[in-house]
Amino acid sequence: MEPLGDRPASLLSGGQQQRVAVARALATDPKVLLMDEPLSNLDARLREQVRHEISRLAGKTGITVLYVTHDQIEAMAVASRIATLARGEILQVSAPVELYEQPANVNVAQFMGSMNWLQGRIDQPGVAKTDVGDLKILEPRSNGGKRFLIGIRPEHLRLSRACEGKTNEFEGTISSRTFLGDQIWYEIQVGEKILLWKTMSSDKFEGTVYVQLPEAKLQVFPAQD
């Protein structure tokens, strides 16, 4: 930025203007810095650069930063603790990894990233009847037929080309494959349900596959009305 010192801020690029705004805020040596959607007007490449810079500066200066965003990637990238809010209510305050892996409810789970959702009913302890068939779950109690939502992250599905006879394994058909550079997304038709699978493997799957939903990765929530 030093070579641009004589240039008015209005003639700087979006990323440069954001850096100037951060520098101005830090110049007063604040105890708390509020950032409200600071990267919303930047393109994807600049957002990544500037959020790394914000995270680095916060760590270097020791300033407490309150960072408001609707982007869960930004939240996880810059925060040591995240508070998720909906309709003015705080739903959960936790470290990013805990929010992602142990969300308190459906709203938190959805905010923190993509989920496969199954409608379920638990008639006997540890077994849920769902859209794709009976699922074994880590849910020890019977709930008298009450409805539940059962979620699993796309990266937690496991695929094979042949049936391995594992718990929570179902036959499916690959319906689409999307290459995104560092990851590949598949849509898999299992009965009437489409499941998403995210992988970093270049091994290509086609046709009939077998999908396993590991019970340790299933998240069970009361169904929302």
Side-chain angles (χ1 to χ4, degrees), residues 158-166 169-174 177 184 186 188 197 199 201-212:
R158 296 175 184 170
L159 255 66
S160 61
R161 292 184 174 85
C163 180
E164 298 178 348
K166 294 182 177 179
E169 186 178 54
F170 304 94
E171 183 178 320
T173 304
I174 300 293
R177 178 180 185 271
I184 300 172
Y186 286 87
I188 307 162
W197 178 48
T199 179
S201 172
S202 59
D203 193 10
K204 190 173 182 179
F205 285 82
E206 296 177 316
T208 299
V209 294
Y210 291 85
V211 187
Q212 186 198 9

Side-chain angles (χ1 to χ4, degrees), residues 78-95:
V78 303
S80 57
R81 289 179 67 78
I82 300 173
T84 54
L85 295 89
R87 297 177 294 278
E89 177 187 357
I90 295 177
L91 303 179
Q92 187 173 354
V93 181
S94 299

Side-chain angles (χ1 to χ4, degrees), residues 1-224:
M1 293 290 292
E2 187 174 344
L4 305 175
D6 295 331
R7 185 177 299 180
S10 60
L11 298 181
L12 298 175
S13 69
Q16 291 165 348
Q17 289 182 13
Q18 292 295 77
R19 289 184 175 93
V20 170
V22 171
R24 285 172 172 168
L26 292 174
T28 61
D29 193 23
K31 295 186 182 300
V32 178
L33 182 61
L34 173 62
M35 293 187 171
D36 188 358
E37 301 278 5
L39 311 184
S40 58
N41 295 323
L42 304 182
D43 62 34
R45 181 180 60 83
L46 280 175
R47 279 201 304 271
E48 186 172 349
Q49 290 179 357
V50 176
R51 77 175 180 232
H52 284 313
E53 188 70 11
I54 290 171
S55 182
R56 185 187 68 81
L57 286 171
K60 181 179 179 180
T61 61
I63 294 172
T64 298
V65 179
L66 295 179
Y67 190 105
V68 180
T69 181
H70 288 84
D71 186 324
Q72 79 274 13
I73 300 299
E74 276 184 35
M76 289 189 284
V78 303
S80 57
R81 289 179 67 78
I82 300 173
T84 54
L85 295 89
R87 297 177 294 278
E89 177 187 357
I90 295 177
L91 303 179
Q92 187 173 354
V93 181
S94 299
V97 66
E98 184 177 342
L99 279 177
Y100 189 80
E101 296 182 351
Q102 301 173 42
N105 54 46
V106 170
N107 287 332
V108 175
Q110 291 182 148
F111 172 74
M112 294 306 294
S114 298
M115 290 284 281
N116 291 297
W117 291 109
L118 301 172
Q119 298 281 346
R121 191 180 74 247
I122 301 175
D123 291 325
Q124 56 181 303
V127 179
K129 295 185 178 298
T130 75
D131 308 336
V132 299
D134 287 355
L135 273 181
K136 187 175 181 181
I137 60 174
L138 299 178
E139 174 63 45
R141 62 187 183 279
S142 173
N143 289 277
K146 289 185 179 179
R147 294 185 303 113
F148 286 82
L149 277 176
I150 300 171
I152 185 168
R153 300 284 182 196
E155 67 271 20
H156 291 155
L157 299 183
R158 296 175 184 170
L159 255 66
S160 61
R161 292 184 174 85
C163 180
E164 298 178 348
K166 294 182 177 179
T167 301
N168 296 346
E169 186 178 54
F170 304 94
E171 183 178 320
T173 304
I174 300 293
S175 58
S176 73
R177 178 180 185 271
T178 304
F179 175 73
L180 296 177
D182 61 345
Q183 57 189 253
I184 300 172
W185 285 76
Y186 286 87
E187 287 190 344
I188 307 162
Q189 184 85 42
V190 180
E192 299 297 318
K193 189 72 176 178
I194 293 287
L195 298 180
L196 296 176
W197 178 48
K198 181 174 71 173
T199 179
M200 296 182 182
S201 172
S202 59
D203 193 10
K204 190 173 182 179
F205 285 82
E206 296 177 316
T208 299
V209 294
Y210 291 85
V211 187
Q212 186 198 9
L213 285 66
E215 55 188 299
K217 297 298 185 180
L218 296 173
Q219 300 177 12
V220 182
F221 305 97
Q224 296 180 320

